[in-house]
């Protein structure tokens, strides 16, 4: 059974580490809870977006994003912008919670498949635990 609070805890536990990943200080007047909810919502969206892009069987003809190729291109462009990055360890942690740490494909493989701008020789040398951001590649 999936309980949203379990996923929230993953982000909450790492919130200070997440803040250190950004050049600018992120302070919201509402406090950490709003930041945690924002990270969680964005991360879940990215994971679902990547999964749908990698496994065509998950896409219905009425999908409001994947039925519009220009929307997919715009979202992909936004995801790769450095200022929009969510720390990789958050994405991977949430993915592993949903699908298990030994899931195949791993989140790193999905990332490579969905955003194939990484040379294959680099992808073979990278260890998931070393990544904080996709720009680390």
């Amino acid at each position: 059974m999936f309980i949203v609070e379990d996923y929230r805890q993953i982000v909450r536990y790492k919130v200070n580490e997440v803040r250190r990943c950004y050049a600018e200080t992120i302070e919201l007047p509402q406090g950490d809870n709003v930041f945690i909810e924002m990270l969680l919502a964005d991360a879940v969206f990215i994971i679902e977006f990547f999964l749908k892009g990698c496994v065509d069987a998950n896409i219905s003809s009425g999908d409001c994003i994947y039925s519009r190729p220009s929307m997919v291109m715009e979202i992909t462009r936004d995801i790769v912008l450095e200022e929009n990055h969510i720390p990789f360890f958050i994405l991977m942690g949430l993915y592993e919670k949903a699908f298990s740490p030994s899931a195949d494909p791993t989140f790193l493989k999905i990332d490579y498949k969905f955003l194939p701008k990484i040379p294959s020789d680099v992808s073979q040398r990278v260890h998931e635990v070393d990544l904080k951001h996709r720009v680390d590649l």
Side-chain angles (χ1 to χ4, degrees):
M1 183 161 126
F2 298 103
I3 300 173
V4 174
E5 188 56 36
D6 294 342
Y7 296 93
R8 217 177 261 125
Q9 271 307 113
I10 291 170
V11 178
R12 184 174 289 119
Y13 179 73
K14 299 276 190 176
V15 74
N16 290 328
E17 188 176 349
V18 169
R19 288 182 188 283
R20 289 190 296 271
C21 289
Y22 297 101
E24 297 178 18
T25 302
I26 301 171
E27 294 297 332
L28 299 172
Q30 303 89 343
D32 278 352
N33 288 338
V34 171
F35 185 54
I36 290 165
E37 291 298 319
M38 180 185 69
L39 285 169
L40 182 59
D42 288 352
V44 168
F45 175 83
I46 290 169
I47 291 167
E48 181 181 5
F49 184 72
F50 281 15
L51 283 171
K52 282 185 176 183
C54 291
V55 183
D56 293 335
N58 289 336
I59 301 173
S60 70
S61 61
D63 187 288
C64 64
I65 294 173
Y66 274 95
S67 64
R68 298 172 51 201
S70 61
M71 175 84 69
V72 173
M73 289 173 45
E74 287 178 38
I75 292 171
T76 301
R77 186 187 65 235
D78 284 350
I79 288 173
V80 298
L81 290 174
E82 187 174 349
E83 62 267 20
N84 291 340
H85 281 208
I86 292 181
F88 198 83
F89 58 86
I90 292 293
L91 293 166
M92 196 167 61
L94 293 170
Y95 180 85
E96 288 178 355
K97 175 70 176 170
F99 299 103
S100 94
S102 60
D104 189 32
T106 65
F107 186 75
L108 186 61
K109 286 180 184 176
I110 291 169
D111 184 72
Y112 287 154
K113 186 174 179 180
F114 191 80
L115 302 169
K117 296 184 181 6
I118 301 165
S120 61
D121 63 319
V122 172
S123 69
Q124 293 170 358
R125 292 181 278 137
V126 172
H127 298 287
E128 295 180 25
V129 294
D130 298 331
L131 295 176
K132 291 210 183 288
H133 280 284
R134 190 169 192 278
V135 294
D136 289 342
L137 297 171

